[in-house]
């Protein structure tokens, strides 16, 4: 649980790097690609240093898991999330991304025959409402004129995010450094082909910030995430525990960017914490 929690906190720092890269003039396509490509370079070097020959002795099943993880949970995720933000804004996009626990719970029941108890369902519902209030202060309910395409893209983001736990659990016997390196490679290749980043405005500051983006909320976060997955029996619990991410993002916004936080946001934070406690105890 602690490692998944740490991964969520590290993901909460994503906004720092995205804001900085935007201010440096990087496009959304470049930001997505830099994250995955930098992550690949970092994890490739780490995996070679740690595993040496074993890195290249990967079986077909594990390679397929890494491909699915890279293409769906990293590559297609970034495209859906970018589209969702453009069409409906950051707040709505983030809330729809946290439909992920529902997709994970359904897939866990199908692929791992995991029992989804009434208490788990209650925790899932609490978690979704908690995330809504944490991110938007409940104002999503007053939002009219939402784009249907944006909603579908947002749900696609939730699906891709939710599948990360499924692919990760399927490949839990593989070293976390190896699965990260291969999945980032497939993600970077996918984004290079289908979400061409271009080279305009690229400079050393962008590359340096992109490297840190690939290190902190990417490589380090997913190493914690994959190692945490190995210690949790019920996969459906994982995205709920990782939902500490929006709380970390809100607190970072308050501390670093002096962003205003209302009572409804704090209510959401409390509900998210409650949902995590309930999900951890649920059987």
């Amino acid at each position: 649980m602690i490692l998944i929690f740490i991964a969520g906190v590290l993901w909460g720092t994503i906004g720092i790097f995205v804001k900085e890269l935007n201010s440096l003039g990087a496009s959304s396509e470049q930001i997505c690609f830099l994250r995955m490509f930098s992550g690949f370079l970092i994890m490739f070097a780490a995996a070679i240093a740690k595993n040496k020959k074993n890195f290249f002795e990967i079986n077909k099943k594990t390679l397929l898991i890494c491909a699915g993880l890279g293409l769906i949970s990293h590559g297609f995720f970034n495209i859906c999330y970018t589209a969702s933000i453009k069409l409906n804004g950051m707040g709505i996009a983030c809330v729809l991304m946290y439909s992920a626990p529902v997709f994970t719970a359904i897939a866990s029941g199908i692929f791992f025959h995991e029992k989804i108890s009434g208490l788990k369902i209650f925790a899932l519902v609490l978690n979704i409402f908690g995330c809504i209030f944490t991110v938007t202060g409940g104002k999503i309910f007053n939002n009219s004129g939402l784009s249907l395409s944006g909603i579908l893209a947002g749900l696609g983001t939730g699906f891709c995010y939710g599948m990360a736990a499924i692919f990760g659990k399927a490949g839990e016997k593989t070293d976390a450094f190896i699965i990260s390196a291969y999945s980032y490679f497939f993600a970077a290749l996918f984004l290079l082909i289908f979400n061409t980043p271009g080279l305009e405005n690229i400079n050393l500051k962008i590359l340096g910030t992109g490297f840190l983006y690939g290190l902190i909320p990417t490589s380090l976060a997913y190493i914690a995430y994959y190692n945490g997955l190995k210690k949790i029996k019920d996969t459906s619990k994982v995205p709920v525990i990782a939902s500490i991410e929006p709380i970390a993002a809100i607190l970072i916004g308050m501390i670093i960017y002096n962003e205003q936080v209302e009572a409804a946001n704090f209510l959401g934070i409390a509900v998210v914490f409650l949902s995590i406690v309930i999900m951890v105890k649920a059987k």
Side-chain angles (χ1 to χ4, degrees):
M1 173 184 167
I2 297 298
L3 289 173
I4 300 295
F5 196 87
I6 290 171
V9 171
L10 290 174
W11 286 329
T13 67
I14 285 174
I16 297 173
F17 298 97
V18 172
K19 280 179 178 286
E20 180 62 22
L21 286 165
N22 276 324
S23 71
L24 291 171
S27 67
S28 58
E29 291 81 8
Q30 289 170 341
I31 292 171
C32 292
F33 177 75
L34 280 172
R35 183 187 187 191
M36 291 295 101
F37 186 66
S38 296
F40 162 66
L41 293 179
I42 293 166
M43 296 314 301
F44 176 76
I48 290 293
K50 185 174 184 289
N51 296 279
K52 296 181 180 178
K53 293 181 180 180
N54 290 339
F55 180 82
F56 298 101
E57 296 176 356
I58 187 168
N59 60 54
K60 290 182 180 179
K61 180 184 175 181
T62 303
L63 195 62
L64 285 173
I65 290 171
C66 291
L69 187 58
L71 297 177
I72 296 173
S73 297
H74 296 317
F76 197 58
F77 168 86
N78 278 291
I79 291 176
C80 285
Y81 197 36
T82 300
S84 181
I85 291 171
K86 286 182 178 178
L87 292 168
N88 282 330
M90 178 68 79
I92 305 299
C94 188
V95 167
L96 289 172
M97 180 179 71
Y98 277 94
S99 62
V102 176
F103 291 111
T104 302
I106 293 170
S108 296
I110 294 172
F111 295 111
F112 305 133
H113 307 293
E114 183 181 321
K115 181 183 177 182
I116 308 299
S117 65
L119 194 57
K120 285 183 180 179
I121 293 172
F122 178 61
L124 287 172
V125 173
L126 269 185
N127 188 258
I128 290 170
F129 275 93
C131 287
I132 288 173
F133 278 91
T134 299
V135 176
T136 71
K139 294 175 184 177
I140 185 177
F141 298 111
N142 301 323
N143 202 318
S144 59
L146 292 176
S147 164
L148 177 60
S149 297
I151 291 173
L152 292 175
L155 291 173
T157 304
F159 172 78
C160 293
Y161 181 26
M163 290 304 100
I166 303 302
F167 283 118
K169 194 68 175 177
E172 65 179 349
K173 293 182 180 179
T174 304
D175 182 85
F177 288 87
I178 292 177
I179 200 169
S180 294
Y182 275 100
S183 63
Y184 293 162
F185 168 76
F186 284 112
L189 186 62
F190 176 83
L191 290 171
L192 184 64
I193 297 171
F194 295 100
N195 201 38
T196 308
L199 297 175
E200 64 276 7
N201 302 323
I202 290 290
N203 55 49
L204 289 177
K205 284 187 177 181
I206 289 177
L207 291 176
T209 305
F211 178 82
L212 292 176
Y213 188 23
L215 174 65
I216 298 170
T218 307
S219 298
L220 295 179
Y222 275 102
I223 284 298
Y225 184 75
Y226 294 139
N227 281 317
L229 271 174
K230 296 177 181 180
K231 300 179 180 180
I232 294 179
K233 181 180 178 181
D234 294 341
T235 311
S236 61
K237 294 184 177 185
V238 173
V240 174
I241 298 169
S243 64
I244 190 67
E245 176 187 351
I247 296 175
I250 289 287
L251 295 177
I252 287 170
M254 286 176 57
I255 296 168
I256 297 180
Y257 302 110
N258 296 315
E259 294 177 355
Q260 297 298 311
V261 179
E262 300 175 357
N265 300 107
F266 284 111
L267 173 63
I269 289 172
V271 173
V272 170
F273 271 119
L274 178 60
S275 72
I276 292 172
V277 171
I278 293 173
M279 183 58 96
V280 168
K281 293 182 178 297
K283 295 181 180 180

